[in-house]
């Protein structure tokens, strides 16, 4: 029966046969503004390395030194033998960075959302989520067995209608992305906090794509809106601006202590290796010491938006380093992605289930290390190829 089920999965083969399969493309170099694919140089506009720190000498040095001191792995979970002094130092620094009392580090950002949401809420509680929240939020909600209500993306009237229907004597947790990873727009934190106060709800914000990008010195969208005292939980990841892998939850001391003893994705997963933790600590140092990196990222964003606005391409409501270019057709999206790669530009195709079927797009994402010349070249090629297939 199992083999019969998987044998029926033929969708990828349809696109492989016509040489349009766009996933698992193999990169033969470091993640930089230019990468090697099939031995050729390609402009990278599909990375989440917003500050371009992946190959920074200080991060590589910190990683190597941690390996030399602690070895390659902790060989156990945080709950048992997998907590190093490095983990404790990183949690202290993260809590300080986002402005919360405590933080707890998980092995991935996905696990952070999964563990926090599923352990904090139960069958008699209510989760209220934006319909375009990240998949890890959806999975955490499902594992919690709490009642789940979705509201239309960034639509505050829709959110209020959901809140109005919920009982007053129960836990209600609103969960939103701070910066939406495909659409590039930001959550309406001021209005969300107002509604949460009105209907006695708590708030969790996933800052995966907004840390290192938004707010004072990259401290996130909650910091940008000065809403730290109104947001209960802040989630972040290390696989974007922090040039590593892992994730964390930051909150008050009691909430973090509760998660330490209830979050199954923490208790039953091996802890982050020392080299990874040291890399994140070094990234935090650089972000705090060199705010000009964030300034350059926003200069690049403004320049790209200026150029794209002249093309007539549909770019939605983004005003961030994540810029969607809507194609609204799966096959065209794959065709455009391949032709751009052949022409030396790497962008990501985004199709269901990442976005609704009528919102397929190519995701153009910027790094602080991109030059204006690279941005110009990429956008010129994108305009030409997209208009070729959308004319």
């Amino acid at each position: 029966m199992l083999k019969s089920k998987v044998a029926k999965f033929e969708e990828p083969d349809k696109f492989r046969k016509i040489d349009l399969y766009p996933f698992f493309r193999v990169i033969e170099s470091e993640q930089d503004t230019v990468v090697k694919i099939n031995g050729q140089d390609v402009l990278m506009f599909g990375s989440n390395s917003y500050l371009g720190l992946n190959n920074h000498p200080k991060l590589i040095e910190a990683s190597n030194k941690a390996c030399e001191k602690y070895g390659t792995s902790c060989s156990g979970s945080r709950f048992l033998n997998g907590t190093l002094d490095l983990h404790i130092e990183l949690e202290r620094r993260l809590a300080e960075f986002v402005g919360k009392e405590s933080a707890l580090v998980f092995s991935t950002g996905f696990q952070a959302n999964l563990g926090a949401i599923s352990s904090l809420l139960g069958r008699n509680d209510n989760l209220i989520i934006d319909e375009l929240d990240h998949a890890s939020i959806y999975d955490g909600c499902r594992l919690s067995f709490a009642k789940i209500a979705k509201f239309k993306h960034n639509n505050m009237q829709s959110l209020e209608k959901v809140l109005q229907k919920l009982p007053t004597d129960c836990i209600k947790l609103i969960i939103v992305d701070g910066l939406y990873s495909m659409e590039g727009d930001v959550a309406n934190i001021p209005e969300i906090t107002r509604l949460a106060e009105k209907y006695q709800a708590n708030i969790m914000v996933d800052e995966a794509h907004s840390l290192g990008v938004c707010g004072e010195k990259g401290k996130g969208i909650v910091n940008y809106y000065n809403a730290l005292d109104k947001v209960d939980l802040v989630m972040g990841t290390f696989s974007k601006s922090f040039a590593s892998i892992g994730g964390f939850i930051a909150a008050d001391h009691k909430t973090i202590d509760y998660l330490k003893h209830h979050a199954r994705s923490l208790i039953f997963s091996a802890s982050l290796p020392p080299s990874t933790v040291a890399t994140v600590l070094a990234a935090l140092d650089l972000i705090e010491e060199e705010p000009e990196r964030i300034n350059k990222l926003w200069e690049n964003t403004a320049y790209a938006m200026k150029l794209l606005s002249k093309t007539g391409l549909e770019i939605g409501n983004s005003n961030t380093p994540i810029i969607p270019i809507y194609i609204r057709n799966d096959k065209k999206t794959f065709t455009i992605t391949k032709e751009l790669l052949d022409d030396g530009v790497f962008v990501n195709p985004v199709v269901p289930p990442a976005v609704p079927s009528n919102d397929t797009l190519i995701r153009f994402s910027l790094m602080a290390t991109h030059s204006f010349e690279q941005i110009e070249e990429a956008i010129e090629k994108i305009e030409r190829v997209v208009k070729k297939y959308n004319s």
Side-chain angles (χ1 to χ4, degrees):
M1 294 295 288
L2 177 60
K3 289 183 178 179
S4 175
K5 176 182 178 178
V6 298
K8 293 176 183 176
F9 179 57
E10 298 177 341
E11 194 67 19
D13 288 333
K14 293 178 184 178
F15 292 99
R16 290 186 182 111
K17 287 175 182 176
I18 55 176
D19 196 27
L20 289 181
Y21 183 72
F23 305 117
F24 298 97
R25 291 171 285 180
V26 179
I27 295 171
E28 302 153 353
S29 63
E30 61 193 5
Q31 284 274 351
D32 205 346
T33 58
V34 176
V35 299
K36 289 276 188 191
I37 297 181
N38 294 326
Q40 302 298 314
D41 285 346
V42 177
L43 288 172
M44 171 53 75
F45 283 92
S47 175
N48 292 326
S49 179
Y50 302 119
L51 297 181
L53 295 178
N54 288 49
N55 57 354
H56 196 286
K58 288 186 178 179
L59 271 66
I60 295 170
E61 180 185 9
S63 175
N64 290 339
K65 284 184 176 180
C67 253
E68 290 170 3
K69 179 177 180 179
Y70 296 97
T72 59
S73 170
C74 295
S75 301
S77 76
R78 289 291 307 281
F79 197 66
L80 298 173
N81 65 299
T83 294
L84 300 174
D85 53 355
L86 273 181
H87 293 103
I88 302 303
E89 172 64 8
L90 178 56
E91 287 168 344
R92 183 191 67 78
R93 289 283 303 280
L94 289 167
E96 184 180 271
F97 185 70
V98 300
K100 288 294 181 184
E101 289 181 353
S102 293
L104 182 61
V105 167
F106 291 73
S107 297
T108 67
F110 200 110
Q111 286 181 317
N113 274 336
L114 207 67
I117 299 166
S118 64
S119 60
L120 286 171
L121 286 90
R123 293 184 186 276
N124 298 318
D125 303 321
N126 290 271
L127 287 156
I128 306 99
I129 61 176
D130 188 295
E131 63 182 352
L132 297 186
D133 276 351
H134 191 265
S136 58
I137 293 173
Y138 270 84
D139 284 0
C141 291
R142 288 167 182 153
L143 278 177
S144 74
F145 299 108
K147 300 175 186 71
I148 304 168
K150 292 186 288 185
F151 62 94
K152 294 177 183 178
H153 176 54
N154 244 347
N155 185 318
M156 297 299 100
Q157 289 181 325
S158 177
L159 172 57
E160 182 158 24
K161 285 180 181 178
V162 170
L163 290 168
Q164 285 172 342
K165 295 176 183 178
L166 299 179
T168 56
D169 57 343
C170 67
I171 295 175
K172 298 181 285 290
L173 180 63
I174 303 167
I175 310 177
V176 295
D177 286 12
L179 169 53
Y180 286 87
S181 60
M182 300 302 161
E183 296 74 21
D185 55 347
V186 299
N188 187 346
I189 298 298
E191 187 63 10
I192 291 169
T193 56
R194 185 189 72 80
L195 290 173
E197 185 174 355
K198 180 178 179 180
Y199 293 98
Q200 298 178 309
N202 298 99
I203 303 172
M204 175 176 172
V205 178
D206 179 329
E207 296 260 32
H209 290 268
S210 42
L211 288 178
V213 175
C214 303
E216 178 193 4
K217 292 188 175 181
K219 293 180 180 181
I221 206 70
V222 177
N223 170 278
Y224 177 80
Y225 283 113
N226 194 27
L228 285 169
D229 59 334
K230 298 175 182 178
V231 172
D232 301 276
L233 296 111
V234 172
M235 175 271 180
T237 186
F238 309 142
S239 56
K240 280 74 176 175
S241 293
F242 295 126
S244 189
I245 192 169
F248 72 95
I249 300 291
D252 61 276
H253 291 310
K254 290 299 292 184
T255 299
I256 295 302
D257 195 42
Y258 182 93
L259 290 176
K260 283 182 177 179
H261 297 87
H262 289 84
R264 291 165 67 88
S265 63
L266 175 91
I267 296 170
F268 297 102
S269 288
S271 68
L272 283 176
S275 57
T276 296
V277 180
T279 298
V280 180
L281 282 165
L284 274 169
D285 288 340
L286 276 172
I287 290 169
E288 292 175 341
E289 293 167 4
E290 300 179 6
E292 61 270 20
R293 287 183 175 272
I294 300 171
N295 296 337
K296 181 60 167 65
L297 175 64
W298 284 101
E299 286 174 10
N300 284 349
T301 300
Y303 189 62
M305 293 293 290
K306 176 184 175 182
L307 295 180
L308 282 165
S309 67
K310 296 177 181 178
T311 65
L313 300 179
E314 185 184 356
I315 58 174
N317 298 317
S318 173
N319 57 359
T320 71
I322 300 168
I323 305 174
I325 299 169
Y326 287 93
I327 310 300
R328 303 193 185 281
N329 177 285
D330 287 8
K331 186 176 179 182
K332 280 185 182 180
T333 300
F334 292 159
T335 303
I336 290 166
T337 299
K338 182 182 185 301
E339 190 156 326
L340 283 170
L341 185 62
D342 292 343
D343 202 17
V345 179
F346 188 112
V347 290
N348 288 312
V350 183
V351 298
V355 293
S357 58
N358 61 337
D359 286 341
T360 56
L361 56 93
I362 56 173
R363 181 182 186 270
F364 183 80
S365 54
L366 294 150
M367 293 187 276
T369 43
H370 280 127
S371 68
F372 279 9
E373 292 75 18
Q374 288 173 327
I375 295 169
E376 289 167 4
E377 180 181 346
I379 290 175
E380 183 276 325
K381 290 178 177 179
I382 288 169
E383 179 184 10
R384 175 172 49 78
V385 175
V386 172
K387 286 185 175 179
K388 173 182 173 181
Y389 289 98
N390 275 356
S391 59

